Amino acid sequence: PMKETHFLHKWALRRLASNDCRALVFTSENTARMNRDKLAASGIDPAKSTVLYRAVEQYAPGEKDPSRFTILFAGNGFYRKGGVELLKAFLRLGREDVQLWIVSSLEVDWGVVPSAEDMEFVQRTIAGDGRIRLMRGMAHHALTQLMRKAHVFVSTTFSDPFNNTILEAMGCQLPVICSDVSSLPEIVQHDRNGWLIDVKNKSSDMIADEIAAYLRKLMDDPGELARLTAGSLQMVRERFDLRVRNQRLIEIYNKALA
């Protein structure tokens, strides 16, 4: 990143503080909060900041396997996004009427560096359990079709600026089990369209236990699954619908040009 002492950085802040800049648009309340104090300290009016959520495409649910409850994980940063904890939770279920689809390259990217034991556990578990299916290098349109066929999306990420995949899963009317980091509480409302798990200062096993408990609730209670599924569709239509986004964009431009 550019140093704050760089003349271009200082020039950019002056431009943002000037009347030439009418609005600063953030994609979440969380990112707006993260930047508000520093911008204000640079003389930029906090009233310029506004939030515009991204829109997501919406799909009807597809045909789901009636004999197996399908859990979906998608993310190349497998360890950072809670892949180890999901595998542990899956094993804790101890049931044959469930399957886990993993769309990932299993890479180590940033934020979480797994131990050699964790990496060996992942490779051994995926290779040795016929209920687990690993898919690498999947095209986006194919992932969307998988989402339509799954029952729940799980991603207890430890670090994420804005998890677009969770939003896309909601667009396919999936309930979500995820962590409460960063902007995720703005996407998933606890007990409305899924459940949020606090992953800070918890062991991997503690997180896995919580995931497993929520998965059991969905597997054993069709009414609960239907309620959270409907909640995802409602959340998308209220906050992440293309029409809602476009109307908000019009309001931002109208205010800036008034």
Side-chain angles (χ1 to χ4, degrees), residues 124-205:
R124 170 171 42 84
T125 302
I126 292 175
D129 195 321
R131 300 169 301 164
I132 301 174
R133 179 182 173 195
L134 174 63
M135 293 159 275
R136 300 175 184 264
M138 176 171 287
H140 185 267
H141 67 86
L143 174 58
T144 299
Q145 296 310 311
L146 274 189
M147 288 177 171
R148 296 180 62 227
K149 295 177 180 179
H151 290 93
V152 64
F153 187 85
V154 181
S155 179
T156 53
T157 181
F158 293 95
S159 184
D160 240 317
F162 192 99
N163 194 316
N164 289 326
T165 314
I166 286 178
L167 189 55
E168 289 165 353
M170 289 167 51
C172 295
Q173 302 186 42
L174 288 182
V176 175
I177 300 171
C178 69
S179 56
D180 64 353
V181 304
S182 188
S183 304
L184 296 187
E186 298 175 54
I187 307 172
V188 176
Q189 290 186 357
H190 188 74
D191 204 38
R192 182 188 182 191
N193 62 309
W195 291 297
L196 296 166
I197 294 176
D198 180 4
V199 297
K200 305 180 197 69
N201 302 315
K202 285 184 180 176
S203 68
S204 176
D205 286 331

Coordinates of all heavy atoms in Angstrom, one line a residue, residues 124-205:
R124 N -6.3 -36.6 4.6 CA -6.7 -37.9 5.0 C -8.2 -38.0 5.1 O -8.8 -39.0 4.6 CB -6.0 -38.3 6.3 CG -6.6 -39.6 7.0 CD -5.7 -40.0 8.2 NE -5.3 -38.9 9.0 CZ -6.1 -38.4 10.0 NH1 -7.3 -38.9 10.2 NH2 -5.6 -37.4 10.7
T125 N -8.9 -37.0 5.7 CA -10.3 -37.1 5.9 C -11.1 -37.1 4.6 O -12.0 -37.8 4.3 CB -10.8 -36.0 6.8 OG1 -10.1 -36.0 8.1 CG2 -12.3 -36.0 7.1
I126 N -10.7 -36.1 3.7 CA -11.3 -36.0 2.4 C -11.1 -37.3 1.6 O -12.1 -37.8 0.9 CB -10.8 -34.8 1.7 CG1 -11.3 -33.5 2.4 CG2 -11.3 -34.7 0.2 CD1 -10.7 -32.2 1.8
A127 N -9.9 -37.8 1.6 CA -9.6 -39.0 0.8 C -10.3 -40.2 1.3 O -10.7 -41.1 0.5 CB -8.1 -39.2 0.7
G128 N -10.5 -40.3 2.6 CA -11.0 -41.5 3.2 C -12.5 -41.6 3.5 O -12.9 -42.6 4.0
D129 N -13.2 -40.6 3.2 CA -14.7 -40.6 3.5 C -15.5 -40.4 2.2 O -15.4 -39.3 1.6 CB -15.0 -39.4 4.5 CG -16.3 -39.5 5.1 OD1 -17.3 -40.0 4.4 OD2 -16.4 -39.2 6.3
G130 N -16.2 -41.4 1.9 CA -17.0 -41.4 0.6 C -18.1 -40.4 0.6 O -18.7 -40.1 -0.4
R131 N -18.5 -39.9 1.8 CA -19.5 -38.9 1.9 C -19.1 -37.5 1.5 O -19.9 -36.6 1.4 CB -20.1 -38.9 3.3 CG -20.7 -40.2 3.7 CD -21.0 -40.1 5.2 NE -19.8 -39.9 6.0 CZ -19.8 -39.5 7.3 NH1 -21.0 -39.3 7.9 NH2 -18.6 -39.2 7.9
I132 N -17.7 -37.3 1.4 CA -17.1 -36.0 1.1 C -16.7 -36.0 -0.4 O -16.0 -36.9 -0.8 CB -15.9 -35.7 2.0 CG1 -16.4 -35.8 3.5 CG2 -15.3 -34.4 1.7 CD1 -15.2 -35.7 4.5
R133 N -17.1 -34.9 -1.0 CA -16.7 -34.7 -2.4 C -15.9 -33.4 -2.6 O -16.4 -32.4 -2.2 CB -18.0 -34.7 -3.3 CG -17.7 -34.5 -4.8 CD -19.0 -34.4 -5.5 NE -18.9 -34.1 -6.9 CZ -19.9 -33.7 -7.7 NH1 -21.1 -33.6 -7.2 NH2 -19.7 -33.4 -9.0
L134 N -14.7 -33.5 -3.1 CA -13.9 -32.3 -3.3 C -13.9 -32.0 -4.8 O -13.6 -32.8 -5.6 CB -12.4 -32.6 -2.8 CG -11.4 -31.5 -3.1 CD1 -11.7 -30.2 -2.4 CD2 -10.0 -32.0 -2.8
M135 N -14.2 -30.7 -5.1 CA -14.2 -30.2 -6.4 C -13.3 -29.0 -6.6 O -13.4 -28.0 -5.9 CB -15.6 -29.8 -6.8 CG -16.6 -31.0 -6.9 SD -18.3 -30.6 -6.7 CE -18.5 -30.6 -4.9
R136 N -12.3 -29.1 -7.4 CA -11.3 -28.0 -7.6 C -11.6 -27.3 -8.9 O -12.1 -27.9 -9.9 CB -9.9 -28.6 -7.7 CG -9.5 -29.3 -6.4 CD -8.1 -29.9 -6.6 NE -7.6 -30.7 -5.5 CZ -6.8 -30.3 -4.5 NH1 -6.4 -29.0 -4.6 NH2 -6.4 -31.1 -3.6
G137 N -11.3 -26.0 -9.0 CA -11.3 -25.2 -10.2 C -12.7 -25.2 -10.8 O -12.8 -25.2 -12.1
M138 N -13.7 -25.1 -10.0 CA -15.1 -25.1 -10.6 C -15.5 -23.7 -11.1 O -15.2 -22.7 -10.5 CB -16.1 -25.5 -9.5 CG -17.5 -25.4 -9.9 SD -18.6 -26.2 -8.7 CE -18.3 -27.9 -9.0
A139 N -16.1 -23.6 -12.2 CA -16.6 -22.4 -12.8 C -17.7 -21.8 -12.0 O -18.4 -22.5 -11.3 CB -17.0 -22.6 -14.3
H140 N -17.8 -20.5 -12.0 CA -18.8 -19.8 -11.2 C -20.2 -20.3 -11.4 O -21.0 -20.5 -10.5 CB -18.7 -18.3 -11.3 CG -19.6 -17.5 -10.4 ND1 -20.9 -17.1 -10.8 CD2 -19.4 -17.1 -9.1 CE1 -21.4 -16.5 -9.7 NE2 -20.5 -16.5 -8.8
H141 N -20.6 -20.5 -12.7 CA -22.0 -20.9 -13.0 C -22.2 -22.3 -12.5 O -23.4 -22.6 -12.1 CB -22.2 -20.8 -14.5 CG -21.4 -21.8 -15.3 ND1 -21.8 -23.1 -15.6 CD2 -20.2 -21.7 -16.0 CE1 -21.0 -23.7 -16.3 NE2 -19.9 -22.9 -16.6
A142 N -21.2 -23.1 -12.5 CA -21.4 -24.5 -12.0 C -21.6 -24.5 -10.4 O -22.3 -25.3 -9.9 CB -20.2 -25.4 -12.3
L143 N -20.9 -23.6 -9.8 CA -21.0 -23.4 -8.3 C -22.4 -23.0 -8.0 O -23.0 -23.5 -7.0 CB -20.0 -22.4 -7.8 CG -20.1 -22.1 -6.3 CD1 -20.0 -23.3 -5.4 CD2 -19.1 -21.0 -5.9
T144 N -23.0 -22.1 -8.8 CA -24.3 -21.6 -8.6 C -25.3 -22.8 -8.6 O -26.2 -22.9 -7.8 CB -24.7 -20.6 -9.6 OG1 -23.9 -19.5 -9.5 CG2 -26.2 -20.1 -9.4
Q145 N -25.1 -23.7 -9.5 CA -26.0 -24.9 -9.7 C -25.8 -25.8 -8.5 O -26.8 -26.4 -8.0 CB -25.7 -25.6 -11.0 CG -26.0 -24.8 -12.2 CD -27.4 -24.2 -12.2 OE1 -28.4 -24.9 -11.9 NE2 -27.5 -22.9 -12.5
L146 N -24.6 -25.9 -7.9 CA -24.4 -26.7 -6.7 C -25.2 -26.1 -5.5 O -25.8 -26.8 -4.7 CB -22.9 -26.8 -6.4 CG -22.1 -27.9 -7.0 CD1 -20.7 -27.9 -6.4 CD2 -22.7 -29.2 -6.9
M147 N -25.1 -24.8 -5.4 CA -25.8 -24.1 -4.4 C -27.3 -24.4 -4.4 O -27.9 -24.5 -3.4 CB -25.5 -22.6 -4.5 CG -24.1 -22.1 -4.1 SD -23.9 -20.3 -4.3 CE -22.3 -20.1 -3.5
R148 N -27.8 -24.4 -5.6 CA -29.3 -24.7 -5.7 C -29.6 -26.1 -5.2 O -30.8 -26.3 -4.8 CB -29.7 -24.5 -7.2 CG -29.5 -23.0 -7.7 CD -30.0 -22.9 -9.1 NE -31.4 -23.2 -9.3 CZ -31.9 -24.0 -10.2 NH1 -31.1 -24.6 -11.1 NH2 -33.2 -24.2 -10.3
K149 N -28.7 -27.0 -5.3 CA -29.0 -28.4 -4.9 C -28.6 -28.7 -3.4 O -29.0 -29.8 -2.9 CB -28.2 -29.3 -5.8 CG -28.6 -29.3 -7.3 CD -27.7 -30.2 -8.1 CE -28.1 -30.1 -9.6 NZ -27.3 -31.0 -10.4
A150 N -27.9 -27.8 -2.8 CA -27.5 -28.0 -1.4 C -28.6 -27.6 -0.4 O -29.6 -27.0 -0.8 CB -26.2 -27.2 -1.1
H151 N -28.4 -28.0 0.9 CA -29.4 -27.6 1.9 C -28.9 -26.5 2.8 O -29.7 -25.7 3.3 CB -29.6 -28.9 2.8 CG -30.4 -29.9 2.1 ND1 -29.8 -31.0 1.5 CD2 -31.8 -30.1 2.0 CE1 -30.7 -31.8 1.0 NE2 -31.9 -31.3 1.3
V152 N -27.6 -26.4 3.0 CA -27.0 -25.3 3.8 C -25.6 -25.0 3.4 O -24.9 -25.8 2.8 CB -27.0 -25.8 5.3 CG1 -26.1 -27.0 5.5 CG2 -26.6 -24.7 6.2
F153 N -25.2 -23.7 3.6 CA -23.9 -23.3 3.3 C -23.2 -22.9 4.6 O -23.7 -22.3 5.4 CB -23.9 -22.0 2.4 CG -22.6 -21.6 1.8 CD1 -22.0 -22.1 0.7 CD2 -21.8 -20.6 2.5 CE1 -20.8 -21.8 0.2 CE2 -20.6 -20.2 2.1 CZ -20.1 -20.8 0.9
V154 N -21.9 -23.4 4.7 CA -21.1 -23.2 5.9 C -19.8 -22.5 5.6 O -19.1 -23.0 4.7 CB -20.9 -24.5 6.7 CG1 -20.1 -24.3 8.0 CG2 -22.2 -25.2 7.0
S155 N -19.5 -21.4 6.3 CA -18.2 -20.8 6.2 C -17.9 -20.0 7.4 O -18.2 -18.8 7.5 CB -18.2 -19.9 4.9 OG -16.9 -19.2 4.8
T156 N -17.3 -20.6 8.4 CA -16.9 -19.9 9.6 C -15.5 -19.3 9.5 O -14.6 -19.6 10.2 CB -16.9 -20.9 10.8 OG1 -16.1 -22.0 10.6 CG2 -18.4 -21.3 11.1
T157 N -15.4 -18.4 8.5 CA -14.2 -17.7 8.2 C -13.6 -17.0 9.4 O -14.3 -16.4 10.2 CB -14.4 -16.8 7.0 OG1 -13.1 -16.2 6.7 CG2 -15.4 -15.7 7.3
F158 N -12.3 -17.0 9.5 CA -11.6 -16.3 10.5 C -11.2 -14.8 10.1 O -11.0 -14.0 11.0 CB -10.3 -17.0 10.9 CG -10.5 -18.3 11.6 CD1 -10.5 -19.5 10.8 CD2 -10.8 -18.4 13.0 CE1 -10.8 -20.7 11.5 CE2 -11.0 -19.6 13.6 CZ -11.0 -20.8 12.8
S159 N -11.2 -14.6 8.8 CA -10.9 -13.2 8.3 C -11.4 -13.1 6.9 O -11.1 -13.9 6.0 CB -9.4 -13.0 8.3 OG -9.0 -11.7 7.9
D160 N -12.2 -12.1 6.7 CA -12.8 -11.8 5.4 C -13.3 -10.4 5.3 O -14.1 -10.0 6.2 CB -14.0 -12.8 5.1 CG -13.8 -13.7 3.9 OD1 -13.3 -13.2 2.9 OD2 -14.1 -14.9 4.0
P161 N -13.0 -9.7 4.3 CA -13.5 -8.3 4.2 C -15.0 -8.3 3.9 O -15.7 -7.5 4.5 CB -12.7 -7.7 3.0 CG -12.1 -8.9 2.3 CD -12.0 -10.0 3.2
F162 N -15.4 -9.1 3.0 CA -16.8 -9.2 2.6 C -17.0 -10.5 1.9 O -16.5 -10.7 0.8 CB -17.3 -8.1 1.8 CG -18.8 -8.0 1.6 CD1 -19.5 -7.1 2.4 CD2 -19.4 -8.7 0.7 CE1 -20.9 -7.0 2.2 CE2 -20.8 -8.7 0.5 CZ -21.5 -7.8 1.3
N163 N -17.6 -11.5 2.4 CA -17.7 -12.8 1.9 C -18.8 -12.9 0.8 O -20.0 -13.2 1.1 CB -17.9 -13.9 3.0 CG -17.6 -15.3 2.5 OD1 -18.1 -15.7 1.4 ND2 -17.0 -16.1 3.3
N164 N -18.4 -12.7 -0.4 CA -19.4 -12.7 -1.5 C -20.1 -14.0 -1.7 O -21.2 -14.1 -2.1 CB -18.7 -12.3 -2.8 CG -18.4 -10.8 -2.8 OD1 -19.1 -10.0 -2.3 ND2 -17.3 -10.5 -3.5
T165 N -19.3 -15.1 -1.4 CA -19.9 -16.5 -1.6 C -21.1 -16.7 -0.7 O -22.0 -17.4 -1.1 CB -18.8 -17.5 -1.4 OG1 -17.6 -17.1 -2.1 CG2 -19.2 -18.9 -2.0
I166 N -21.0 -16.2 0.5 CA -22.1 -16.3 1.4 C -23.3 -15.6 0.8 O -24.5 -16.2 0.9 CB -21.8 -15.8 2.8 CG1 -20.8 -16.7 3.5 CG2 -23.0 -15.5 3.6 CD1 -20.4 -16.2 4.9
L167 N -23.1 -14.5 0.3 CA -24.2 -13.7 -0.3 C -24.8 -14.5 -1.5 O -26.1 -14.5 -1.7 CB -23.8 -12.3 -0.7 CG -24.8 -11.3 -1.2 CD1 -25.9 -11.1 -0.1 CD2 -24.1 -10.0 -1.5
E168 N -24.0 -15.1 -2.3 CA -24.4 -15.8 -3.4 C -25.2 -17.1 -3.0 O -26.2 -17.4 -3.7 CB -23.3 -16.2 -4.3 CG -22.7 -15.0 -5.1 CD -21.3 -15.3 -5.6 OE1 -20.7 -16.4 -5.4 OE2 -20.8 -14.4 -6.4
A169 N -24.8 -17.7 -1.9 CA -25.5 -18.8 -1.4 C -26.9 -18.4 -0.9 O -27.9 -19.1 -1.2 CB -24.8 -19.5 -0.2
M170 N -27.0 -17.2 -0.3 CA -28.3 -16.7 0.1 C -29.2 -16.4 -1.1 O -30.4 -16.6 -1.1 CB -28.1 -15.5 0.9 CG -27.6 -15.7 2.3 SD -27.0 -14.2 3.2 CE -28.4 -13.1 3.0
G171 N -28.6 -16.0 -2.2 CA -29.3 -15.7 -3.5 C -29.9 -17.0 -4.0 O -30.9 -17.0 -4.8
C172 N -29.3 -18.2 -3.6 CA -29.9 -19.5 -4.0 C -30.8 -20.0 -2.9 O -31.1 -21.2 -2.9 CB -28.7 -20.4 -4.3 SG -27.7 -20.0 -5.8
Q173 N -31.1 -19.2 -2.0 CA -32.1 -19.5 -0.9 C -31.5 -20.6 0.0 O -32.2 -21.5 0.5 CB -33.4 -19.9 -1.5 CG -34.0 -18.8 -2.3 CD -35.5 -19.2 -2.8 OE1 -36.3 -19.7 -2.0 NE2 -35.7 -18.9 -4.0
L174 N -30.2 -20.5 0.4 CA -29.6 -21.4 1.4 C -29.5 -20.7 2.7 O -29.1 -19.5 2.8 CB -28.2 -21.8 0.9 CG -28.1 -22.8 -0.2 CD1 -26.6 -23.1 -0.5 CD2 -28.9 -24.0 0.0
P175 N -29.8 -21.3 3.8 CA -29.5 -20.8 5.1 C -28.0 -20.9 5.3 O -27.3 -21.7 4.6 CB -30.2 -21.7 6.1 CG -30.4 -23.0 5.3 CD -30.6 -22.6 3.9
V176 N -27.4 -20.1 6.1 CA -25.9 -20.0 6.3 C -25.5 -20.1 7.7 O -26.1 -19.5 8.6 CB -25.4 -18.6 5.7 CG1 -23.9 -18.5 5.9 CG2 -25.8 -18.5 4.2
I177 N -24.5 -20.9 7.9 CA -23.8 -21.0 9.2 C -22.4 -20.3 9.0 O -21.6 -20.9 8.2 CB -23.6 -22.4 9.7 CG1 -25.0 -23.1 9.9 CG2 -22.9 -22.4 11.0 CD1 -24.9 -24.6 10.2
C178 N -22.2 -19.2 9.6 CA -20.9 -18.5 9.4 C -20.4 -17.9 10.7 O -21.1 -17.9 11.7 CB -21.1 -17.5 8.3 SG -22.1 -16.0 8.7
S179 N -19.2 -17.3 10.6 CA -18.7 -16.5 11.8 C -19.3 -15.1 11.8 O -19.9 -14.7 10.9 CB -17.2 -16.5 11.6 OG -16.8 -15.9 10.4
D180 N -18.9 -14.4 12.9 CA -19.5 -13.1 13.1 C -18.4 -12.0 12.8 O -18.5 -10.9 13.3 CB -20.1 -12.9 14.5 CG -19.0 -13.1 15.6 OD1 -17.9 -13.4 15.2 OD2 -19.3 -12.8 16.7
V181 N -17.4 -12.3 12.0 CA -16.3 -11.4 11.8 C -16.7 -10.4 10.7 O -17.6 -10.6 9.9 CB -15.0 -12.1 11.3 CG1 -14.6 -13.2 12.4 CG2 -15.2 -12.8 10.0
S182 N -16.0 -9.3 10.7 CA -16.1 -8.3 9.6 C -17.5 -7.9 9.3 O -18.3 -7.5 10.2 CB -15.4 -8.8 8.4 OG -15.2 -7.8 7.4
S183 N -17.9 -7.9 8.1 CA -19.2 -7.5 7.6 C -20.3 -8.6 7.6 O -21.4 -8.3 7.3 CB -19.1 -6.9 6.2 OG -18.1 -5.9 6.1
L184 N -19.9 -9.8 8.1 CA -20.9 -10.9 8.0 C -22.2 -10.7 8.7 O -23.2 -11.1 8.3 CB -20.2 -12.2 8.4 CG -19.0 -12.6 7.4 CD1 -18.5 -14.0 7.8 CD2 -19.4 -12.6 6.0
P185 N -22.1 -10.0 9.9 CA -23.4 -9.8 10.6 C -24.4 -8.9 9.8 O -25.6 -8.9 10.2 CB -23.0 -9.2 11.9 CG -21.6 -9.7 12.2 CD -21.0 -9.7 10.8
E186 N -23.9 -8.2 8.8 CA -24.8 -7.4 8.0 C -25.4 -8.2 6.9 O -26.4 -7.8 6.3 CB -24.0 -6.2 7.4 CG -23.4 -5.3 8.4 CD -22.5 -4.2 7.7 OE1 -23.0 -3.5 6.8 OE2 -21.3 -4.1 8.2
I187 N -24.9 -9.4 6.7 CA -25.4 -10.3 5.6 C -26.3 -11.4 6.2 O -27.4 -11.7 5.7 CB -24.2 -11.0 4.8 CG1 -23.2 -9.9 4.3 CG2 -24.7 -11.8 3.7 CD1 -22.0 -10.5 3.7
V188 N -25.8 -12.0 7.3 CA -26.5 -13.1 8.0 C -27.0 -12.5 9.3 O -26.2 -12.1 10.1 CB -25.6 -14.3 8.2 CG1 -26.4 -15.4 9.0 CG2 -25.2 -14.9 6.9
Q189 N -28.3 -12.6 9.5 CA -28.9 -12.2 10.8 C -29.1 -13.4 11.6 O -29.8 -14.3 11.2 CB -30.2 -11.4 10.6 CG -29.9 -10.0 10.0 CD -31.2 -9.2 9.9 OE1 -32.3 -9.6 10.3 NE2 -31.1 -7.9 9.5
H190 N -28.6 -13.4 12.8 CA -28.6 -14.6 13.6 C -30.0 -15.1 13.9 O -30.9 -14.3 14.3 CB -27.9 -14.4 14.9 CG -27.7 -15.6 15.8 ND1 -26.8 -16.6 15.5 CD2 -28.4 -16.0 16.9 CE1 -26.9 -17.5 16.4 NE2 -27.8 -17.2 17.3
D191 N -30.3 -16.3 13.6 CA -31.6 -17.0 13.8 C -32.7 -16.5 12.8 O -33.9 -16.8 13.0 CB -32.1 -16.9 15.2 CG -33.0 -18.0 15.6 OD1 -32.8 -19.1 15.2 OD2 -34.0 -17.7 16.3
R192 N -32.3 -15.7 11.8 CA -33.3 -15.3 10.8 C -33.0 -16.1 9.5 O -33.9 -16.7 8.9 CB -33.2 -13.8 10.6 CG -34.3 -13.4 9.5 CD -34.2 -11.9 9.1 NE -35.2 -11.6 8.2 CZ -35.2 -10.5 7.5 NH1 -34.3 -9.6 7.6 NH2 -36.2 -10.2 6.6
N193 N -31.8 -16.0 9.0 CA -31.5 -16.7 7.8 C -30.2 -17.6 8.0 O -29.6 -18.0 7.0 CB -31.2 -15.7 6.6 CG -30.1 -14.8 6.9 OD1 -30.0 -14.1 7.9 ND2 -29.2 -14.7 5.9
G194 N -29.9 -17.8 9.2 CA -28.8 -18.7 9.5 C -28.3 -18.4 11.0 O -29.1 -17.9 11.8
W195 N -27.1 -18.8 11.2 CA -26.6 -18.6 12.6 C -25.1 -18.1 12.5 O -24.4 -18.5 11.6 CB -26.6 -19.9 13.4 CG -28.0 -20.4 13.7 CD1 -28.9 -19.8 14.5 CD2 -28.6 -21.6 13.3 NE1 -30.0 -20.5 14.6 CE2 -29.9 -21.6 13.9 CE3 -28.2 -22.7 12.5 CZ2 -30.8 -22.7 13.6 CZ3 -29.1 -23.7 12.2 CH2 -30.4 -23.7 12.8
L196 N -24.8 -17.2 13.4 CA -23.5 -16.6 13.5 C -22.7 -17.2 14.7 O -23.3 -17.4 15.7 CB -23.6 -15.1 13.7 CG -24.2 -14.2 12.6 CD1 -24.5 -12.8 13.1 CD2 -23.2 -14.2 11.4
I197 N -21.5 -17.6 14.4 CA -20.6 -18.2 15.5 C -19.5 -17.3 15.8 O -18.8 -16.8 14.9 CB -20.1 -19.6 15.0 CG1 -21.3 -20.5 14.8 CG2 -19.1 -20.1 16.0 CD1 -20.9 -21.9 14.3
D198 N -19.3 -17.0 17.0 CA -18.1 -16.2 17.5 C -16.9 -17.1 17.5 O -16.8 -18.1 18.2 CB -18.4 -15.7 18.9 CG -17.2 -14.9 19.4 OD1 -16.2 -14.6 18.7 OD2 -17.3 -14.5 20.6
V199 N -15.9 -16.8 16.6 CA -14.8 -17.7 16.4 C -13.5 -17.1 17.1 O -12.5 -17.8 17.1 CB -14.4 -17.9 14.9 CG1 -15.6 -18.7 14.2 CG2 -14.1 -16.6 14.2
K200 N -13.7 -15.9 17.7 CA -12.5 -15.3 18.4 C -12.2 -16.0 19.7 O -13.2 -16.3 20.5 CB -12.8 -13.8 18.6 CG -13.1 -13.1 17.3 CD -13.3 -11.6 17.7 CE -14.0 -10.9 16.6 NZ -15.4 -11.3 16.5
N201 N -11.0 -16.3 20.0 CA -10.5 -16.8 21.2 C -11.2 -18.2 21.6 O -11.4 -18.5 22.7 CB -10.8 -15.9 22.4 CG -10.1 -14.5 22.2 OD1 -8.9 -14.5 21.8 ND2 -10.8 -13.4 22.4
K202 N -11.5 -18.9 20.5 CA -12.1 -20.3 20.7 C -11.2 -21.3 20.0 O -10.6 -21.0 19.0 CB -13.5 -20.4 20.1 CG -14.6 -19.7 21.0 CD -16.0 -19.9 20.3 CE -17.0 -19.2 21.1 NZ -18.4 -19.3 20.5
S203 N -11.2 -22.5 20.6 CA -10.4 -23.5 20.0 C -11.1 -24.0 18.7 O -12.3 -23.9 18.6 CB -10.2 -24.7 20.9 OG -11.4 -25.3 21.2
S204 N -10.4 -24.7 17.9 CA -10.9 -25.3 16.7 C -12.0 -26.3 17.0 O -13.1 -26.3 16.4 CB -9.8 -26.0 15.9 OG -10.3 -26.6 14.7
D205 N -11.8 -27.1 18.1 CA -12.8 -28.1 18.5 C -14.1 -27.4 19.0 O -15.2 -27.9 18.8 CB -12.2 -29.0 19.5 CG -11.2 -30.0 18.9 OD1 -11.4 -30.3 17.8 OD2 -10.3 -30.4 19.7

